[in-house]
Amino acid sequence: MGNDGGSIPDRRDLVRTKAKAEQADKANQVRAMWFFCALSKRPLQEPIVSCSLGKLYNKDALLEFLLDRTSFGDGEEICGHIRSLKDVKVLKLTPNPAKTPTSSSSSSSSNPTHAPFVCPLNFKEMNGVQPFVYLSPCGCVFSQAGLKAVTSTDKVEPAKENENGSEPTSSALDLCPQCGAKYDRASDVLTLNPPAELEAQMREAMLLKRASEPAKGKGKSKKRKAASSEGEPPAKKAAASSSAPSTNPSIAAASRAVAASLAEEEAKRRVGMSDAVKSLYAPKDGAKKKETFMTMGTFTRYA
């Protein structure tokens, strides 16, 4: 054990120690969240959508998942909360002007040099170093610092309902710095790829919003029709019940004339009919017989 011209073993080589738990590379995790689709693990390509939890998806991969929810192994764990395309928003992203054709070709590699998108306000790259947000009404994406810089420093109160209706007043809403759409700073600004604590809060807000939505059912239309019919005055009900499809007077007169002419022709035909022909349709003595036109005048064993 040593001193023979070879290597001298150390305690680490002779005693087995407990292996340390492998820790995931945070840089790779951040790169995967901001450069690759959360569902298909492919590089992000427009059109890109985001859900209420701020995750990024390729729209074609999400459509494939909605058509067949078993197409991805961990699809239910990642985006099981997405019911349809109404639960996601197409993002309006600003391409990175620093990306050259050579760098764009290398975007499919595991370690891209530049982020494919930037903030349109301060041109910060969307690579996970700075938090980014998007506006749910329009889908425009900004860095959190850039959006705070262009909006007013005063705290915006949530939209209040009008006295005569449920529509919020526009004075409590901000305008999107890119497209001018109105949004509520308190509820319409969603963080992309949020940390775990913020993601839990966003999930609770999503569940509360869905719980407040009216339930969809077929019985509502019947109830509304019944309520509308009960609310109508009796005069309208009587008019509706008495109203029948009216015919044109000229058409009615023409039909009566045709019926009268047909009746006259039938009477003339019967007057000129011989007794032999009449005997086929009715007996001479007027008594009813069991024979029909097919059996009249024929021998019947059971007569």
Side-chain angles (χ1 to χ4, degrees):
M1 298 297 292
N3 296 327
D4 56 353
S7 61
I8 300 175
D10 195 2
R11 184 178 183 278
R12 292 173 296 180
D13 301 328
L14 299 176
V15 180
R16 289 185 178 181
T17 58
K18 186 177 181 181
K20 294 183 179 180
E22 295 183 358
Q23 295 181 356
D25 189 2
K26 292 184 179 180
N28 288 334
Q29 288 182 344
V30 171
R31 192 180 301 114
M33 288 190 300
W34 292 95
F35 290 81
F36 296 89
C37 172
L39 179 61
S40 64
K41 310 301 186 292
R42 302 190 189 111
L44 288 173
Q45 294 180 354
E46 293 186 291
I48 299 173
V49 297
S50 180
C51 62
S52 301
L53 302 182
K55 296 180 181 180
L56 300 175
Y57 312 94
N58 287 332
K59 190 175 182 180
D60 55 351
L62 189 61
L63 284 172
E64 184 179 353
F65 169 75
L66 293 176
L67 293 175
D68 183 10
R69 301 185 80 90
T70 60
S71 55
F72 298 93
D74 55 351
E76 289 293 338
E77 298 178 3
I78 296 173
C79 53
H81 59 281
I82 299 178
R83 301 166 297 182
S84 65
L85 288 179
K86 294 181 180 180
D87 295 334
V88 296
K89 186 68 178 181
V90 179
L91 301 181
K92 298 178 183 178
L93 297 163
T94 304
N96 189 356
K99 289 200 67 172
T100 59
T102 57
S103 64
S104 63
S105 62
S106 64
S107 63
S108 60
S109 62
S110 60
N111 189 11
T113 56
H114 293 283
F117 307 106
V118 296
C119 172
L121 303 177
N122 55 12
F123 293 97
K124 296 292 184 181
E125 291 187 354
M126 196 175 73
N127 54 8
V129 177
Q130 292 189 4
F132 271 69
V133 297
Y134 78 95
L135 307 181
S136 57
C138 58
C140 295
V141 179
F142 308 99
S143 65
Q144 193 173 20
L147 186 62
K148 285 183 179 180
V150 297
T151 53
S152 59
T153 57
D154 299 335
K155 186 177 180 180
V156 179
E157 297 180 358
K160 297 180 180 179
E161 296 182 354
N162 294 332
E163 295 179 357
N164 54 355
S166 60
E167 297 180 357
T169 57
S170 60
S171 60
L173 301 178
D174 292 333
L175 296 178
C176 174
Q178 187 173 9
C179 64
K182 296 179 182 179
Y183 71 95
D184 185 6
R185 195 189 303 182
S187 60
D188 293 338
V189 180
L190 301 179
T191 305
L192 292 174
N193 291 324
E197 296 179 359
L198 183 57
E199 182 180 350
Q201 296 177 6
M202 295 172 68
R203 187 180 293 273
E204 291 179 2
M206 178 190 68
L207 296 177
L208 289 175
K209 184 178 179 181
R210 290 185 179 180
S212 62
E213 293 178 356
K216 297 180 181 179
K218 296 182 180 180
K220 281 194 171 183
S221 59
K222 296 181 179 179
K223 291 181 180 179
R224 288 177 182 175
K225 289 181 181 179
S228 60
S229 62
E230 290 177 0
E232 290 181 356
K236 289 186 178 180
K237 289 184 180 180
S241 60
S242 61
S243 60
S246 59
T247 57
N248 195 348
S250 59
I251 296 176
S255 61
R256 287 195 296 269
V258 170
S261 62
L262 290 176
E264 291 178 0
E265 291 179 0
E266 181 67 19
K268 291 179 181 179
R269 187 178 66 83
R270 288 185 178 181
V271 169
M273 188 181 297
S274 63
D275 296 338
V277 175
K278 289 181 180 179
S279 64
L280 296 176
Y281 296 96
K284 295 180 180 179
D285 54 355
K288 293 183 180 180
K289 294 184 179 180
K290 295 182 180 180
E291 291 85 2
T292 61
F293 173 75
M294 298 296 296
T295 60
M296 188 175 295
T298 59
F299 172 75
T300 305
R301 179 178 300 175
Y302 304 100

